[in-house]
Amino acid sequence: MLVDSHCHLDRLELGAHDGSLDRALAAARERGVGHFLCIGVSADNADAVCELAARHEDVDCSVGIHPLDLEADAAPSLDWLLEQLARPHVVAIGETGLDYHYEPQAAERQQTSFRLHLEAARRTAKPVIVHTREARQDTLALLREADLPQAGVLHCFTEDWAMARAALDLGFYISLSGIVTFRNAEALREVAKKIPADRLLVETDSPYLAPVPHRGKPNLPEYVREVAEFLAELRGEPFEALAERTTDNFYRLFPLARRR
Ligand SMILES: [Zn+2]
Ligand SMILES: [Zn+2]
C-alpha cells in the first residue's frame, strides 16, 4: 500500500475522472493508494479539507496558512490555529513555512506566521508540514529555535543534501514529489538516493507537479505510484519494500492518521 502524504483534494482538476473526486479516489485506491493526507492552505479551505476527511475514512487532513496565502491583514492568530487543530481528523499543522522564491518581500510576514504555526505545533504536539523554497537558512533557523519535541516533514523537497542532512538531524522526515522524475532534477535525484529509508515519504502535491510521464497535465493522487516506482528504481529497492517503508513512516510521523 502507498500513501499520498500531501495532496490538495479540494483543488484537483478532475477532467480525467468526469469531474468526480470519488472516482479519482477510487482510481487511486485501485492503484494501491490506501491513504491521503489533504492539506490546508488557508482559512478559506479549512472547512473544505475537514469535510473531505469526515466523508472519507482514508482521508485525513491538516490545517494551516501557506506562506504564499498570507495577506497583509489575514495573518492567522494562535487562537484560530488551536481551534482548527482541535477539529476531528486534523492530524497535522500546515502547510506553513517560507517561500522567498515568489514573495521575497514578504519574508518577515512569512516568518511571523511560521513561528505561530510552530507554537501551535508545540502546544498540540501535532507534526508540522513545512513548505520551504529559497529560504534554507531561515527555515532551519526557525525550526531550531522552535526545537519541537515531535517530528515534522519538509514536503515537496527540492533543496540540497546539506539542507536534507540538517533537517534529518532535527528529526524531520523528507517527502519527495514528482519533481524527482523531471529531466532537469539530477541534483535532487542524488539527494533522493541518500535519504534514509526510515525518513522518506512520497507525495503528489496534486494538482501541481505531475510526475513523468504525466508532466504538464493536472496531477492526481493516483500518480503517487509513479513517484514511488521511480524512487524504488532510483534507490535500487524493490517497489513493494519502498511502498511499505514509506507507508510505515507516514503512520509513525502522523500517529493520529486513521490506520485501517
Ligand atoms: Zn508546498
Ligand atoms: Zn501543497
Side-chain angles (χ1 to χ4, degrees):
M1 173 186 141
L2 283 167
V3 176
D4 186 353
S5 72
H6 189 116
C7 49
H8 299 277
L9 298 181
D10 57 320
R11 299 181 163 202
L12 297 185
E13 290 174 49
L14 293 163
H17 293 291
D18 295 329
S20 164
L21 176 62
D22 285 350
R23 284 193 198 182
L25 291 175
R29 291 178 194 118
E30 219 152 273
R31 300 194 73 211
V33 189
H35 206 116
F36 311 84
L37 185 55
C38 180
I39 306 297
V41 293
S42 69
D44 288 341
N45 92 325
D47 286 347
V49 298
C50 286
E51 274 157 30
L52 284 165
R55 198 163 347 122
H56 303 278
E57 260 182 36
D58 51 5
V59 175
D60 285 299
C61 69
S62 68
V63 287
I65 312 283
H66 192 289
L68 298 177
D69 275 74
L70 291 165
E71 306 269 317
D73 55 354
S77 72
L78 187 57
D79 282 348
W80 181 82
L81 283 171
L82 293 173
E83 204 175 283
Q84 296 301 314
L85 283 165
R87 297 174 74 169
H89 314 310
V90 177
V91 302
I93 180 161
E95 56 187 297
T96 178
L98 305 173
D99 191 324
Y100 298 167
H101 179 74
Y102 290 109
E103 293 190 2
Q105 78 289 355
E108 212 170 301
R109 196 195 310 156
Q110 291 184 12
Q111 289 169 23
T112 302
S113 172
F114 190 19
R115 280 200 176 91
L116 269 182
H117 284 74
L118 292 168
E119 178 58 24
R122 163 178 312 288
R123 295 203 192 182
T124 58
K126 289 189 176 178
V128 63
I129 298 162
V130 176
H131 170 110
T132 179
R133 191 154 182 212
E134 289 177 26
R136 290 174 199 173
Q137 295 317 318
D138 287 354
T139 295
L140 289 171
L142 265 68
L143 290 178
R144 288 197 183 105
E145 169 191 298
D147 192 24
L148 295 172
Q150 74 273 22
V153 58
L154 297 191
H155 105 88
C156 196
F157 190 79
T158 54
E159 306 292 341
D160 61 8
W161 175 244
M163 173 103 185
R165 186 66 266 170
L168 291 164
D169 288 345
L170 286 167
F172 270 63
Y173 290 66
I174 308 273
S175 179
L176 294 172
S177 69
I179 290 179
V180 74
T181 70
F182 292 180
R183 198 154 50 98
N184 59 0
E186 202 46 58
L188 181 60
R189 281 190 279 280
E190 290 309 308
V191 174
K193 286 183 201 167
K194 292 196 245 180
I195 298 171
D198 61 353
R199 297 288 193 85
L200 178 67
L201 298 181
V202 287
E203 66 171 82
T204 57
D205 208 7
S206 49
Y208 319 108
L209 303 166
V212 172
H214 308 288
R215 190 171 181 186
K217 290 193 274 177
N219 199 1
L220 291 162
E222 67 204 67
Y223 299 155
V224 77
R225 178 150 193 135
E226 274 74 9
V227 177
E229 281 173 350
F230 184 92
L231 281 171
E233 167 110 38
L234 176 73
R235 290 163 59 91
E237 297 169 23
F239 170 75
E240 286 306 331
L242 183 129
E244 204 173 300
R245 290 300 283 276
T246 53
T247 295
D248 285 349
N249 296 343
F250 175 83
Y251 288 114
R252 195 180 324 114
L253 172 60
F254 301 108
L256 294 176
R258 288 167 290 176
R259 198 162 197 160
R260 291 186 303 161

